[in-house]
Amino acid sequence: MTTVDLNADMGESYGPWTMGQDRDLLGVITSANIACGMHAGDWDVMAATMDTAVANGTGIGAHPGFPDLQGFGRRRMQIGGASLGNLVAYQLGAAQAMADAAGGKVRHLKLHGALANMCAEDATLARAAYEGALRVDPEIIVMVLAATGQQEAAEALGCRWAGEIFADRAYNDDATLVDRSLPGAVIHDPDLAASRMVEMVRAGAIITESGKHIPAAVDTICLHGDGKTALLIARAVRAALQAAGVTLEMFSGRR
């Protein structure tokens, strides 16, 4: 039986500014990546999102990013080495405290935005980020962009990890995501996103824009929560996978 996890980035609202459709998405997904206050989110948003995730029995993950609220963590910053590790550890600690207060536990970590993309390109940078997290929790599951420098770093560290693919993003031939500024980088059609995910899960591979198949650990599928069609895509992907006989459940992590 094929199994896969569905995850979404959330907790990204800030004060009166609402981002995403978190409550509805939490009824669709099996794992939630909750912003830690640097690229998005605040203490009240984190608390409310953690409470709802615990009530739904959804797996909780920390979602650290660059300290860039204005740019939503999508602008590249030059932070590396020990400082990057401390940045990730700081955010994971905040997520752990808020999860504990809600009666839950942080079980995984997923990097956000520009930080994630840079670590996909550079395994050394990814290692610095993950070492920061592992100092806080050696058993945390690191969610990696499958078949990239992120996976290379996690495997080298010998930590628990889960491979992720994206339902609404196009891929380059090196398994990195097509830059958001380019045409076709973000997929808005729910039916297209759903059929792509069934095809990739069945193939056990990332299928790039050129049609290349890159063998990949497809443990979890990201359903972004901040687009106009996000909830429609999430529901379509879930329904298509279930119709294809795929079981939806939280990942257990690889080594």
Side-chain angles (χ1 to χ4, degrees), residues 2 19 23 40 91 98 102 114 129 134 141 190 194 209 217 221 224 228:
T2 301
M19 186 74 163
R23 188 168 293 276
Q91 294 179 73
M98 299 305 283
L134 293 167
I141 304 170
E209 275 203 302
I221 295 170
H224 278 111
K228 292 182 179 179

Side-chain angles (χ1 to χ4, degrees), residues 152-174:
E152 180 184 340
E155 289 179 326
L157 287 167
C159 64
R160 298 170 70 196
W161 62 275
E164 177 188 43
I165 62 173
F166 285 76
D168 63 352
R169 296 294 305 276
Y171 280 91
N172 298 307
D173 281 350
D174 62 356

Side-chain angles (χ1 to χ4, degrees), residues 187-206:
I187 296 164
H188 300 288
D189 182 340
D191 292 334
L192 174 59
S195 63
R196 287 176 75 249
M197 289 302 95
V198 171
E199 187 178 7
M200 290 192 199
V201 169
R202 283 176 169 166
I206 290 167

Side-chain angles (χ1 to χ4, degrees), residues 40-107:
D42 61 38
W43 46 93
D44 292 326
V45 171
M46 285 181 75
T49 309
M50 294 285 187
D51 284 342
T52 307
V54 170
N56 283 31
T58 306
I60 294 174
H63 193 37
F66 282 136
D68 179 26
L69 284 173
Q70 185 184 34
F72 196 62
R74 289 179 176 160
R75 298 185 292 194
R76 295 191 172 216
M77 301 180 72
Q78 300 306 311
I79 303 175
S83 184
L84 180 60
N86 290 336
L87 176 65
V88 171
Y90 178 89
Q91 294 179 73
L92 174 55
Q96 287 179 320
M98 299 305 283
D100 184 66
K105 178 179 173 60
V106 174
R107 67 188 302 269

Side-chain angles (χ1 to χ4, degrees), residues 103-253:
K105 178 179 173 60
V106 174
R107 67 188 302 269
H108 74 272
L109 176 134
K110 173 187 170 180
L111 302 179
H112 168 82
L115 174 58
N117 290 335
M118 291 170 71
C119 288
E121 298 162 6
D122 184 347
T124 300
L125 194 68
R127 181 168 183 139
Y130 297 152
E131 284 176 336
L134 293 167
R135 286 198 300 272
V136 176
D137 180 1
E139 289 303 311
I140 198 162
I141 304 170
V142 176
M143 190 185 293
V144 303
L145 287 173
T148 70
Q150 290 189 17
Q151 182 176 329
E152 180 184 340
E155 289 179 326
L157 287 167
C159 64
R160 298 170 70 196
W161 62 275
E164 177 188 43
I165 62 173
F166 285 76
D168 63 352
R169 296 294 305 276
Y171 280 91
N172 298 307
D173 281 350
D174 62 356
T176 60
L177 300 173
V178 174
D179 190 280
R180 283 178 175 269
S181 65
L182 299 176
V186 181
I187 296 164
H188 300 288
D189 182 340
D191 292 334
L192 174 59
S195 63
R196 287 176 75 249
M197 289 302 95
V198 171
E199 187 178 7
M200 290 192 199
V201 169
R202 283 176 169 166
I206 290 167
I207 302 175
T208 71
E209 275 203 302
S210 71
K212 179 181 178 181
H213 283 54
I214 304 171
V218 182
D219 299 313
T220 184
I221 295 170
C222 179
L223 305 165
H224 278 111
D226 58 344
K228 292 182 179 179
T229 58
L231 185 58
L232 293 175
I233 287 176
R235 288 172 173 165
V237 168
R238 181 183 177 95
L241 289 168
Q242 289 179 316
V246 177
T247 300
L248 304 178
E249 63 181 33
M250 282 185 274
F251 49 77
S252 58

